[in-house]
Amino acid sequence: MALLLVLLGLGGCAALPPGQAGEAAPCGWAVEEWRSIDGGYLDERFVRLRQPVALDADIEGLWFYDAGHDSIFLLEAVSDRLRRVATLSASREVRLRLDGVGQLYLADPRAGSLLRLDTVTGEAQSFTRESPLAPTAVALDRLGRVLVGDGQAGRVVAYNSHGGFEAPVADDLPPLGGVAGLLARDEQLWIADPVERRVHLVEAGRARVVFTHAAWVSPGPLADDGRGGVVMADTATRTLYRLTAEGPVEVLTPVPLDVQRIDDLVGDGREIYLADGARGQIRVLDLVLRGCPAAPGEDATGDDIP
C-alpha cells in the first residue's frame, strides 16, 4: 500500500514582505518581480499582448497562446523578438506543453480536444481518437508519454507518443475533484486539484503524498522553480506557494499578487513566468532566499556563485 501523507500548511517557513514593521522575516523563499512583458517586435512592428493565457518555456524562449490574437507566439530568448508559430482559435482555458522535439500539445477543455502542433509548420491535428471529456491540463514525462488531466472525469491518464491510450498514471490515486495543474519532473508527477483543494505527488507510478493548506481555495497551475521545488498558484486568492517532496508548504506571497488573474504559470529553470490574461501581461518572477545565511559556494539568493 502506498504511503499517503497529509501535510497541513498551518505554519512553516513563510517569507514575509521585506521591511514589515515589528517582525523579522524568517529564513525562507520569497518572490521578487523582475519585469513585465507587454509585447514584442514581430516583423519590425511592435505587437502588444492582448490575452496571454497559456505558457511553456524551453531553450528557444517563452511559448504562449494569446487568446486575443488567436495565435501561438514564441518570444525568442536570444533576441526578445516575437515569432508567430500558428494561428488558431482556442478557449481561455487552453493549456500547452512542449515535447522537446518540435511538437506542441494543446489541451482545450471547452472544445474537448487534444491537439499536437508542429512548431515549424504551424500545422495542428488531433492527437488521439480517445480524447478526454475535458482535458484541463497536459504534461510530458521522461518516458515521452503525454499525460492529460481530465477535469470532468477526475483523473489523469497517459498516452503513448502515437496517441494510444495506456493507463491511469497511478492505480492508487484517489478520485480527483478536478485537475487544474500538472507538472512532470523526473519520476515525479504533481497534480493540482482545485475542487478538493489538494496537490498530489505521484512518484514512480505510486501516489506518495497529499499536500493541503488551510488557506488554499483553488490550487491551480504548477511550475518547476529550478531549485528543487514546485511553485503552485492559487488562482482564487492570487497567491503562490512552494512545495517539495519533503514538505512543508511554504507561503511565497503572504499578500495577493498585483495581478487581475493567474491564467498559467511556468518555470524555465531560472525564472517563473505568470500569465495575466486580464491585463494582457506576462509577469517575470524570481525566487530569492530571505533571512538565511549563505552557504559556501552560494550567494544570498541561494544560487551558485560562478
Side-chain angles (χ1 to χ4, degrees):
M1 180 179 292
L3 176 62
L4 198 62
L5 304 176
V6 178
L7 303 179
L8 296 175
L10 300 177
C13 187
L16 297 173
Q20 183 165 326
E23 297 186 30
C27 172
W29 291 97
V31 167
E32 285 187 352
E33 181 170 355
W34 280 27
R35 59 194 175 98
S36 175
I37 300 171
D38 301 300
Y41 281 92
L42 177 68
D43 299 329
E44 309 306 323
R45 179 173 61 92
F46 187 80
V47 175
R48 290 197 174 276
L49 305 186
R50 293 177 182 170
Q51 199 175 9
V53 294
L55 306 170
D56 203 3
D58 66 2
I59 192 171
E60 289 191 66
L62 180 66
W63 305 72
F64 62 94
Y65 176 70
D66 190 310
H69 286 286
D70 285 335
S71 295
I72 296 174
F73 292 100
L74 167 62
L75 182 64
E76 297 176 344
V78 176
S79 64
D80 266 352
R81 300 182 68 85
L82 284 176
R83 174 165 71 87
R84 195 188 303 267
V85 178
T87 300
L88 56 87
S89 180
S91 73
R92 187 173 64 84
E93 289 80 17
V94 71
R95 292 293 173 261
L96 57 85
R97 195 64 68 220
L98 295 157
D99 70 352
V101 291
Q103 304 295 313
L104 188 66
Y105 293 85
L106 297 102
D108 190 341
R110 290 287 184 92
S113 64
L114 181 61
L115 303 178
R116 179 164 59 189
L117 182 142
D118 189 306
T119 59
V120 177
T121 65
E123 296 180 358
Q125 58 184 356
S126 179
F127 172 62
T128 175
R129 296 179 180 179
E130 303 176 16
S131 294
L133 298 174
T136 52
V138 60
L140 282 93
D141 67 10
R142 63 188 184 93
L143 300 176
R145 300 185 305 169
V146 181
L147 312 178
V148 182
D150 190 330
Q152 186 169 331
R155 63 175 186 164
V156 180
V157 295
Y159 297 88
N160 61 36
S161 59
H162 302 292
F165 175 78
E166 289 198 349
V169 293
D171 292 333
D172 56 350
L173 185 67
L176 304 170
V179 182
L182 283 180
L183 176 66
R185 184 179 62 184
D186 299 326
E187 291 191 349
Q188 295 180 343
L189 175 64
W190 297 77
I191 307 167
D193 183 341
V195 178
E196 299 295 334
R197 303 181 184 182
R198 296 176 176 177
V199 174
H200 296 263
L201 171 57
V202 175
E203 199 160 24
R206 305 291 293 177
R208 180 185 167 194
V209 185
V210 179
F211 295 86
T212 65
H213 193 284
W216 286 356
V217 176
S218 185
L222 301 162
D224 189 340
D225 70 2
R227 298 161 177 81
V230 172
V231 176
M232 185 275 289
D234 189 315
T235 56
T237 59
R238 307 190 309 282
T239 50
L240 303 180
Y241 297 82
R242 184 174 188 266
L243 297 80
T244 63
E246 297 76 23
V249 175
E250 290 187 76
V251 182
L252 294 176
T253 52
V255 296
L257 290 167
D258 182 23
V259 296
Q260 289 189 25
R261 195 169 67 212
I262 300 178
D263 288 291
D264 203 4
L265 199 70
V266 72
D268 67 357
R270 296 174 294 108
E271 298 168 325
I272 303 293
Y273 298 89
L274 183 154
D276 182 354
R279 285 187 177 173
Q281 294 178 335
I282 298 174
R283 314 290 280 272
V284 186
L285 313 173
D286 189 26
L287 291 186
V288 296
L289 278 173
R290 295 197 191 280
C292 302
E298 292 185 344
D299 61 18
T301 68
D303 294 327
D304 293 338
I305 298 175

